[in-house]
Amino acid sequence: MATSREWAEFDVIVIGGSYAGLSAAMQLARARRRVLVVDAGRRRNRFAHHSHGFLTQDGSEAAAIAAQGKAQLQAYPTVAWANETVVSAAADGDQFRVGFPDGGTAVGRRLVLATGVNDTLPPVEGLGERWGRSVFHCPYCHGYELDEGDIGVLATGELSMHHALMLPDWGRVTLFLNGAFVPDAAQAAALAARGVTVEAAPVARIEGEAELVLADGRRLPMAGLFVVPRTSLPSTGGGATLADQLGCALEAGPMGDFVRTDAQQATSVPGVFCCGDMARAAGNVAFAVAGGAMAGVAAHRSLIAELQQPI
Ligand SMILES: Cc1cc2nc3c(=O)[nH]c(=O)nc-3n(C[C@H](O)[C@H](O)[C@H](O)COP(=O)(O)OP(=O)(O)OC[C@H]3O[C@@H](n4cnc5c(N)ncnc54)[C@H](O)[C@@H]3O)c2cc1C
């Protein structure tokens, strides 16, 4: 965008132009509403080449799905796009004003937040650079391609029981406790019933494709490794998230906080809708697209509802 100050007022500003934001904006564009999509270009799955499990796009490049969605959206004449980061958002009378790093602003009557989440992995050497390639968090997304081979679960806490008990449907599972927790008797029995091997020796590092090197020197090559990350809402540079700046209520999820929404994807702040990973305890592309469609429709209906007529 040339300078954000030149931009007119929009019906809706969608912050985040990946799967959820694109889907929200598509509904609004098809209602001929003026939409501004602002996107910082850092999709959560940018570390993975391929995306699985989304109907008609199973195995497609993750980037290609987003690029095709963006191209189809931008064909609508009422859509404006900014490759920018929104650094501030606040109510401004009965509208909302969002701010950009250059000091420019844009105004919209409604906001859709679709900024996704950030992942934080445990500090194990070699883990981060394999994220999305041979280290994953979602069995439905990447479990099938491991061809029923040896699968490691690197524990980050008791939540890793979930991975360890699910993943035997995808291969032979070893749970690496790595000091994160010690299974109690009931958990140990459940792991045994699912045929899970439990390894207590600390993990020193990951090498090769997904080879775990243990502190005692043993090497255990795996077809893939699963880990539960901590998730957080993206900060805007100054520390506060957009949800915090706007005063949106949050919920505590098992992996991190997410924005509380109702069945219409409305947040606790009137006029602000939220969708995708930032509005769910756990997400994927299909859920992001579905939530985005609901947020777009609901934002549109809320504009019409200003007429005070039931629709
Ligand atoms: C390694 C990995 C592999 C995955 N594989 C799969 C898979 O195979 N299948 C599947 O269904 N799911 C997969 N997922 C999950 C999937 O990536 C997410 O569920 C999906 O990306 C959520 O979409 P979203 O639109 O909510 O958020 P995102 O895709 O994360 O997009 C959020 C967008 O908002 C932008 N943004 C953030 N803050 C701002 C701001 N302040 N201003 C402007 N823009 C901003 C970001 O830059 C980004 O472009 C995977 C996830 C990971 C981590």
Side-chain angles (χ1 to χ4, degrees), residues 16 18 20 39-42 44-45 51-52 86 141-142 276-277 284-285:
S18 177
D39 185 43
R42 291 170 62 81
R44 185 182 182 191
N45 62 358
S51 171
H52 291 277
V86 169
C141 303
H142 300 286
D277 282 8
N284 66 21
V285 173

Side-chain angles (χ1 to χ4, degrees), residues 121-124 127 135-136 151-157 160 163 167 174-181 201-203 206 212 214 225-229:
L121 301 176
V124 173
L127 197 65
V135 177
F136 311 103
I151 296 176
V153 172
L154 181 63
T156 54
S160 296
H163 265 160
L167 277 157
T174 302
L175 171 61
F176 295 89
L177 297 175
N178 202 30
F181 80 107
V203 175
I206 320 291
L212 284 88
L214 304 185
L225 185 61
F226 282 78
V227 62
V228 178

